[in-house]
Amino acid sequence: MQNLLQIHPYFTDGRGKLIALEALTDIFPFDIKRVYFIYDLKSENFRGFHAHKNLEQALICINGSCKVHMDDGNNKHNFFLNKPNQVLTVPKHFWHSMSEFCDNTIILVLASDHYDEKDYIRNYKDFLDYIAKKET
Ligand code: TYD
């Protein structure tokens, strides 16, 4: 699961750093149809706790830091994001949650499709059933 975390190249010079994100590359193998970001996060709260049936996403912690818990139904892994050049892919069929936000954390999310509540699996048991059905 470690290979879901990639380090994006950046341009740097005396003025600072610049990262350009382009769709349909090794880092974003999907087209980007939606961008959203979450901010004003409280360290004691969790977000996420769902999986998607079809949506592919990439998370970038562009400011601050957070923990992302990923679970494919068989394996679990925690990622710590604290640099804006870390790109964490969240493939479809991965249960994921985010927590332990430090002050002023902003998480940018690039998504392969528009928002569709029907694409969400929000119950963990339904998620495990979905994965079990997929594997048979
Ligand atoms: P939710 O999926 O619960 O957020 P998180 O995964 O970070 O815990 O979304 C919170 C609310 O925002 C919910 O009412 C759905 C809405 N929403 C949209 O309308 N469009 C979007 O693109 C997203 C991601 C959420």
Side-chain angles (χ1 to χ4, degrees):
M1 215 182 274
Q2 275 91 334
N3 62 357
L4 296 176
L5 183 64
Q6 301 189 62
I7 304 301
H8 199 286
Y10 53 79
F11 298 95
T12 184
D13 56 32
R15 299 168 299 166
K17 294 183 171 60
L18 183 152
I19 293 181
L21 307 172
E22 294 195 3
L24 303 172
T25 60
D26 287 347
I27 290 191
F28 304 106
F30 54 85
D31 213 351
I32 297 165
K33 287 202 185 158
R34 176 168 49 115
V35 175
Y36 62 94
F37 48 95
I38 54 178
Y39 64 104
D40 199 16
L41 300 158
K42 305 282 174 284
S43 61
E44 66 274 18
N45 290 153
F46 282 77
R47 299 202 63 116
F49 281 108
H50 59 250
H52 287 281
K53 296 174 190 165
N54 291 302
L55 192 73
E56 307 277 348
Q57 299 192 99
L59 306 185
I60 304 174
C61 186
I62 56 173
N63 196 58
S65 64
C66 69
K67 191 172 93 178
V68 183
H69 178 71
M70 301 272 283
D71 176 353
D72 67 5
N74 295 301
N75 300 294
K76 300 173 198 256
H77 193 79
N78 284 324
F79 294 91
F80 181 64
L81 303 184
N82 66 345
K83 293 188 187 73
N85 65 333
Q86 293 170 309
V87 179
L88 181 64
T89 300
V90 183
K92 61 184 174 183
H93 311 162
F94 271 66
W95 188 263
H96 56 284
S97 63
M98 292 151 274
S99 61
E100 297 179 24
F101 311 106
C102 78
D103 281 353
N104 299 320
T105 291
I106 303 174
I107 302 171
L108 179 70
V109 186
L110 309 172
S112 65
D113 215 336
H114 297 169
Y115 176 74
D116 177 6
E117 185 58 37
K118 293 191 294 299
D119 190 65
Y120 282 70
I121 306 168
R122 290 196 183 270
N123 175 286
Y124 189 67
K125 180 164 182 318
D126 292 347
F127 166 69
L128 293 178
D129 291 347
Y130 188 92
I131 296 294
K133 212 177 277 176
K134 194 183 76 161
E135 288 174 352
T136 54

